[in-house]
Amino acid sequence: MPIAHIIGLGKSGIAAARLLKREGWEVTLSDRSSSPNLLKQQQEFANEGIHVELGQSFEPVESIELIVVSPGVPWDSPALVRARELGIETIGEMALAWRYLKSPWVGITGTNGKTTTTALIAAIFAEAGLYAPACGNIGYAACELALAEKPPDWVIAEISSYQIESSPFVAPRIGVLTTLTPDHLSRHKTLENYYNIKAHLLKKSELQVINGDDPCLRQQGVDIWPDACWTSVKGEKELLGNTDFGAYIQDGWVIAQSEKILPADSLRMVGEHNLQNLLMAVAAANLAGIDKSAIARAIAKFPGVSHRLEHICTWEGIDFINDSKATNYDAAQVGLASVSAPAILIAGGDAKEGDDRAWIDTIKAKAAAVLLIGDAASLFGDRLKQANYNAWEIVETMERAIPRAAELGRQNHAKVVLLSPACASFDQYQNFEQRGDHFRQLCLESLAKEYS
């Protein structure tokens, strides 16, 4: 019986372990944590014949034939470098799923916009009567789809740079590249490395859809991507590449491959960036042969995405909006630019490298006050002070931020209280979803009880 080792006891690691067990492998799952919840899972997996090791670092041994890593495990970690030196096949969970899923894939990557674009594409395919669940960074783990009794008609996969890095042979039917700005540089070191990882997925794809309104991607241009379906919300004249193959907005209509598909205002989500996401989703669906009536119905029904400019409640005329997925400066700048002013902004968390100047300019233009939480609070306070913006306070936690935001919102006649952190969440939360869920819970509970 071949031996496999799975690193990471998250959703993807669990699905990979169960898939390999089903396929006749001897499987060990490991995780550096040893929380009570994981200890409980350890016994559950023992009942399935899967060994779980907790609270220790993984060290490769030659008897292992396959290592599957979860997205959060650095590809250049010493243990994985050593494993490859030993000749042990080392892949990501996405790559494992690729081996067993024979359906065509749409692979969506980029810095920002991935989740909304993925959700839009999945909604369109579902409206067309196809079984095409979203997976990867949202929805299912890819290996969960490989475990299912019914194979999907299409796989709609949001794929991060980490997942591409560990899954170099994944080759979608359609690859979508949403945006490119500096992110995850602590892991990828340079923007060039980061871009090359993202571009690899597109190069492996049969068809490419690329956001031509993104400055960095536009700079790469048709010299690099001559046959791509380029998109632009700014009309046919701004479209790169073959206009008959591209997708753009003209006179209020979304046009893809020279065909009018639907009115652009069918999408209920605010912001130019969401029109860009809409264009890429429509272009991908059209390339996949989805009927334009199904595309139009899906977009008209689309409710939005959790944690991305998600409306939670309205209290005394102030909209409370959850943008927890804005984990870098560029995403947070887009989020703040998309809401009505004046706004009360809640920001902070686990800071990332990046250029914060456009974000701070937008704060100065639109935010009546900024409440800072998490490890980045002092850093952000200093940066705002340097920029001569002084309407900020350090409140440290979300529990303190919500009532204070409500108070400041009333004092400043604010239209919006916006959680848009410009940070990762790992200082106080397991992930951005947990952070957004906490914001939602506090808004609904504390505002209803204390301020109604």
Side-chain angles (χ1 to χ4, degrees):
M1 183 180 292
I3 298 173
H5 193 104
I6 317 294
I7 305 175
L9 197 58
K11 180 172 67 172
S12 61
I14 290 168
R18 286 179 170 149
L19 177 58
L20 287 170
K21 182 67 179 176
R22 186 192 74 180
E23 297 298 316
W25 290 73
E26 180 183 327
V27 179
T28 297
L29 256 171
S30 68
D31 199 291
R32 287 184 297 179
S33 177
S34 56
S35 67
N37 184 49
L38 293 185
L39 290 168
K40 180 182 177 183
Q41 287 182 297
Q42 187 176 39
Q43 183 55 50
E44 292 173 0
F45 284 112
N47 296 335
E48 298 180 34
I50 297 172
H51 178 62
V52 175
E53 297 175 351
L54 297 176
Q56 52 190 299
S57 298
F58 166 68
E59 292 295 333
V61 294
E62 291 183 350
S63 59
I64 298 173
E65 295 184 34
L66 176 66
I67 296 170
V68 181
V69 298
S70 297
V73 180
W75 193 237
D76 59 355
S77 69
L80 295 186
V81 171
R82 177 60 180 152
R84 293 193 287 271
E85 289 173 351
L86 291 171
I88 302 170
E89 185 178 18
T90 306
I91 61 174
E93 180 262 346
M94 190 73 69
L96 181 65
W98 173 261
R99 290 182 172 172
Y100 292 97
L101 285 167
K102 304 308 178 186
S103 314
W105 287 42
V106 180
I108 301 96
T109 194
T111 308
N112 300 311
K114 296 188 299 294
T115 297
T116 301
T117 304
T118 302
L120 282 165
I121 292 171
I124 293 168
F125 279 60
E127 184 66 32
L130 298 169
Y131 174 48
C135 70
N137 261 15
I138 65 169
Y140 296 94
C143 282
E144 287 182 290
L145 300 184
L147 280 164
E149 290 184 15
K150 179 185 177 183
D153 299 309
W154 283 78
V155 175
I156 313 299
E158 179 184 331
I159 310 178
S160 70
S161 57
Y162 298 174
Q163 289 163 317
I164 298 169
E165 198 173 32
S166 61
S167 306
F169 49 79
V170 171
R173 177 76 57 82
I174 301 169
V176 181
L177 185 50
T178 60
T179 56
L180 191 84
T181 55
D183 199 11
H184 305 302
L185 296 189
S186 60
R187 175 152 163 176
H188 299 312
K189 311 307 180 190
T190 68
L191 181 61
E192 183 181 11
N193 288 342
Y194 179 56
Y195 168 75
N196 287 337
I197 291 167
K198 298 286 190 185
H200 177 85
L201 183 76
L202 274 286
K203 290 174 182 175
K204 296 289 287 186
S205 301
E206 185 178 328
L207 298 167
Q208 298 90 21
V209 176
I210 304 176
N211 176 10
D213 293 326
D214 179 86
C216 188
L217 298 180
R218 192 174 183 86
Q219 189 176 1
Q220 301 298 320
V222 292
D223 291 342
I224 305 297
W225 304 105
D227 300 318
C229 168
W230 288 90
T231 68
S232 178
V233 301
K234 300 172 183 176
E236 184 178 5
K237 288 184 178 179
E238 292 297 315
L239 193 67
L240 295 178
N242 183 350
T243 56
D244 292 334
F245 191 58
Y248 54 95
I249 294 176
Q250 192 80 36
D251 300 325
W253 279 85
V254 173
I255 298 171
Q257 288 80 53
S258 298
E259 187 175 11
K260 279 187 175 182
I261 307 295
L262 75 161
D265 62 6
S266 299
L267 184 68
R268 289 179 281 172
M269 301 174 72
V270 299
E272 183 179 276
H273 65 292
N274 279 319
L275 290 178
Q276 293 169 348
N277 297 335
L278 169 67
L279 266 182
M280 289 181 285
V282 170
N286 206 48
L287 290 174
I290 304 297
D291 185 79
K292 68 177 184 180
S293 63
I295 297 174
R297 289 195 306 272
I299 298 306
K301 294 177 184 177
F302 191 74
V305 175
S306 295
H307 313 294
R308 194 68 180 109
L309 292 172
E310 175 192 12
H311 181 269
I312 302 300
C313 63
T314 300
W315 170 81
E316 294 197 5
I318 304 170
D319 292 327
F320 284 70
I321 295 177
N322 168 23
D323 198 34
S324 182
K325 198 174 189 304
T327 59
N328 56 52
Y329 297 119
D330 296 281
Q333 187 276 327
V334 166
L336 183 56
S338 300
V339 302
S340 300
I344 308 300
L345 174 66
I346 302 172
D350 185 7
K352 291 182 176 180
E353 294 181 38
D355 186 343
D356 63 3
R357 288 173 294 181
W359 177 62
I360 290 176
D361 286 344
T362 306
I363 287 173
K364 293 169 76 172
K366 301 199 71 167
V370 179
L371 300 177
L372 300 173
I373 62 174
D375 287 354
S378 295
L379 170 67
F380 281 6
D382 289 344
R383 289 290 296 128
L384 291 169
K385 190 175 181 180
Q386 290 166 14
N388 296 316
Y389 180 92
N390 297 306
W392 57 270
E393 301 174 18
I394 294 177
V395 293
E396 297 181 343
T397 66
M398 199 75 75
E399 287 88 350
R400 294 175 183 168
I402 302 303
R404 182 60 176 148
E407 184 180 8
L408 287 171
R410 186 160 47 188
Q411 290 174 7
N412 290 278
H413 305 290
K415 297 182 181 298
V416 170
V417 168
L418 175 69
L419 169 66
S420 194
C423 282
S425 56
F426 305 122
D427 57 333
Q428 295 180 324
Y429 300 95
Q430 290 183 347
N431 47 49
F432 73 81
E433 293 97 338
Q434 188 185 69
R435 176 172 61 192
D437 290 341
H438 192 209
F439 174 80
R440 183 191 299 111
Q441 175 193 350
L442 290 169
C443 287
L444 296 176
E445 289 180 358
S446 65
L447 295 176
K449 290 178 182 176
E450 297 180 29
Y451 295 97
S452 61

